[in-house]
């Protein structure tokens, strides 16, 4: 399914927003400058909250009229009560956390549904770059040089599936993204791991 992305938010943000039901209570962890929260407010009329590490990001969110606090996903999620949100979202952030498994565990405690998106390090172009150049790949989804990147725990689709199994999380929906194309994978495996530049998962506790 090819999507027209002219004058639209990023395709991964659209994919995440499409997974959230109308009027839901949402926590966006690592919300950056608030693009996703603003999109969810406009398209899904959510009751949205955000947590962002950088002060610049918090300031940008507040300027958009969003409810965001400064906080660290690795340290501060324990302050939230169980089942306090319908959805807890980690968009393009899990690879930048110090302890992804602990963060995911806190998210499933806080939210009835968990949404996670990330760049897929198993994509065929990344594999080819690494094979032919012998250097850390640089792509449109992983655009930083190895010494500048905020990413410290890169993973593949198959790696993430293993983590979900370890955390007793079931997949409600899996979306794979490549360029401006999006498709649903009912049983993500080798094909998804090779073809997807990014992945978006909607998860729930088993």
């Amino acid at each position: 399914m090819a999507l027209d992305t002219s004058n639209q938010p990023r395709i991964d943000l659209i994919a995440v927003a499409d997974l959230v039901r109308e009027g839901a209570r949402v926590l966006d962890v690592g919300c950056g400058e608030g693009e996703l929260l603003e999109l969810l407010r406009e398209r899904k009329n959510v009751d949205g909250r955000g947590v962002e590490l950088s002060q610049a990001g918090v300031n940008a969110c507040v300027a958009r009229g969003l409810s965001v606090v400064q906080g660290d996903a690795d340290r501060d999620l324990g302050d939230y009560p169980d089942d306090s949100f319908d959805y807890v979202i980690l968009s393009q952030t899990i690879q930048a956390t110090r302890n992804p498994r602990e963060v995911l565990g806190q998210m499933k405690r806080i939210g009835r549904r968990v949404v996670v998106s990330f760049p897929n390090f198993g994509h065929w172009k990344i594999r080819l770059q690494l094979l032919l150049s012998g250097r850390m790949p640089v792509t449109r989804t992983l655009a930083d040089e190895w010494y500048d990147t905020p990413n410290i725990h890169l993973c593949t689709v198959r790696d993430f599936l293993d983590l979900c199994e370890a955390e007793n999380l079931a997949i409600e929906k899996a979306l794979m993204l490549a360029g401006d194309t999006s498709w649903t994978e009912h049983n993500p495996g080798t094909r998804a791991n090779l073809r997807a530049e990014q992945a978006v998962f909607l998860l729930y506790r088993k």
Side-chain angles (χ1 to χ4, degrees):
M1 175 179 62
L3 302 177
D4 177 11
T5 57
S6 60
N7 300 318
Q8 290 192 44
R10 292 188 341 238
I11 185 174
D12 59 301
L13 299 185
I14 295 171
V16 170
D18 285 345
L19 296 175
V20 176
R21 68 171 172 79
E22 183 84 17
R25 183 167 168 80
V26 173
L27 177 65
D28 186 3
V29 180
C31 60
E33 296 186 352
E35 295 96 332
L36 178 58
L37 277 174
E38 187 172 62
L39 181 67
L40 287 167
R41 181 178 64 185
E42 292 174 353
R43 296 195 179 185
K44 295 297 183 76
N45 193 33
V46 304
D47 178 7
R49 301 287 185 271
V51 178
E52 170 55 31
L53 182 61
S54 75
Q55 186 61 56
V58 173
N59 293 344
C61 289
V62 171
R64 293 176 188 255
L66 301 170
S67 179
V68 173
V69 298
Q70 189 169 20
D72 186 339
D74 283 293
R75 293 199 306 259
D76 297 328
L77 294 183
D79 296 336
Y80 290 89
D82 295 356
D83 292 325
S84 48
F85 292 91
D86 299 309
Y87 298 84
V88 181
I89 299 172
L90 195 65
S91 173
Q92 302 294 326
T93 303
I94 193 168
Q95 72 278 359
T97 61
R98 290 187 296 277
N99 193 331
R101 182 171 182 177
E102 183 175 333
V103 170
L104 192 61
Q106 289 287 358
M107 290 172 65
K108 75 173 185 180
R109 179 186 63 78
I110 297 167
R112 295 177 176 86
R113 291 291 186 275
V114 171
V115 181
V116 180
S117 69
F118 57 91
N120 173 32
F121 205 69
H123 185 251
W124 70 267
K125 288 184 179 179
I126 291 178
R127 300 187 194 205
L128 189 61
Q129 275 195 43
L130 191 58
L131 176 66
L132 296 180
S133 72
R135 299 175 183 272
M136 282 297 289
V138 176
T139 69
R140 59 185 167 188
T141 55
L142 294 167
D144 298 308
E145 295 287 350
W146 67 270
Y147 49 82
D148 283 332
T149 182
N151 300 322
I152 55 177
H153 286 117
L154 291 165
C155 72
T156 71
V157 168
R158 294 181 71 177
D159 289 327
F160 186 74
L161 293 173
D162 289 343
L163 177 58
C164 290
E165 186 65 27
E167 279 299 309
N168 209 29
L169 283 163
I171 299 169
E172 186 167 328
K173 191 167 186 178
L175 296 172
M176 303 296 128
L177 314 175
D180 62 355
T181 301
S182 163
W183 70 95
T184 300
E185 285 282 349
H186 298 290
N187 187 23
T190 300
R191 183 181 70 165
N193 207 33
L194 281 169
R195 293 180 58 207
E197 291 180 324
Q198 303 177 72
V200 183
F201 285 88
L202 174 62
L203 308 165
Y204 62 93
R205 297 185 295 255
K206 291 182 181 178

